[in-house]
Amino acid sequence: MNYADALDRAYDELPDSPADAGERLQVPDPEGQTDGAFTRLTNVSDIADALSRDAEHLHSAIQRQLGTNGQFEDGVARYNGSFSIADFDAAIDDYIAEFVTCSECGLPDTVLKTEDGVRMLRCQACGAFRPVQKRSSASSQRSQAPDIEEGKTYELEITGTGRKGDGVAEKGKFTVFVSGAQEGQTVQAYVHNVSGNLAFARPT
C-alpha cells in the first residue's frame, strides 16, 4: 500500500466531524399545549428517543431549567405555569449541550453511565468522558445571584449555536440565546425575556 492509499484509509477511519453530527442529530420540534395553569410537552418521549436518552431524565432537566414543578405520565410532560415553544427549545438545547454532546469532539455519540456513584458522559466516537452533575433549580440559583435580569443589556461572548440558529452565550448560571448572533462574536445584547435559568436577547 502506497502513502496516498494509506492516507486515504486513515481519513476514512476517522470519526465524523462535528458538522456531520449536527446533520445526524435530528430532534423533533417541541409540541406544547396549554392546559389551564399548566403547559404540556406532548412529544417529550419522541425528543428523548431522538437523543437516545431516558424521557423522565429529559423531563426532569427541562423542569429544572424552567424553574418549575411538573409531572411525567404516559409519555407526556406537564409543567406548572405558562411556557412557550421557545422556552422548551432553549431548555432542550441546554440539555443537549450538558447531557448529549461530547465536549471534546462535539459529536452526539455519547452514553450516560454511572461509575462509582458518579454520572458520567462517555463519548463512543473519541473516547472522552466527563462527569455531569445534577443542577440546582433555576429559582434557587436566581435567588442566590441574579446574573441576568430582564430589561438589561449585557456584553456577551457567543460560544455556540442553538438548533434554531440563534447564538448561544453563558453568563453565570444562565444560558442566553441571542437572535441573529453568530458563534465567535462578542455582542451587546438586550435581554427581553427570562424563563428559569434561560434568557432570550437581541443585539442592540
Side-chain angles (χ1 to χ4, degrees), residues 75-190:
V76 176
R78 189 177 75 166
Y79 304 94
N80 296 357
S82 178
F83 299 99
S84 67
I85 294 299
D87 292 331
F88 288 125
D89 264 328
I92 292 165
D93 277 343
D94 197 77
Y95 179 87
I96 291 171
E98 178 68 16
F99 295 105
V100 179
T101 304
C102 174
S103 56
E104 294 298 321
C105 70
L107 292 170
D109 304 327
T110 59
V111 292
L112 280 173
K113 292 186 175 182
T114 300
E115 302 177 8
D116 297 325
V118 178
R119 182 66 67 89
M120 303 290 293
L121 186 72
R122 285 193 171 272
C123 182
Q124 296 178 312
C126 73
F129 61 94
R130 62 174 171 84
V132 293
Q133 297 180 346
K134 180 178 179 181
R135 301 176 178 181
S136 57
S137 70
S139 57
S140 65
Q141 290 173 350
R142 289 200 309 276
S143 65
Q144 295 169 8
D147 300 299
I148 288 284
E149 294 184 43
E150 195 170 307
K152 291 191 175 182
T153 299
Y154 300 89
E155 182 175 274
L156 300 172
E157 180 183 356
I158 308 302
T159 57
T161 304
R163 291 183 301 117
K164 301 297 185 181
D166 293 332
V168 180
E170 301 289 337
K171 184 168 177 61
K173 297 179 176 65
F174 284 82
T175 300
V176 188
F177 293 83
V178 185
S179 60
Q182 302 294 319
E183 185 172 349
Q185 291 182 326
T186 298
V187 299
Q188 295 289 325
Y190 173 79

Side-chain angles (χ1 to χ4, degrees), residues 9 12 14 17 20 29 55 89-90 92 106 123 188 192:
R9 180 175 178 179
D12 288 340
L14 286 174
S17 68
D20 296 329
D29 290 332
D89 264 328
I92 292 165
C123 182
Q188 295 289 325
H192 56 81

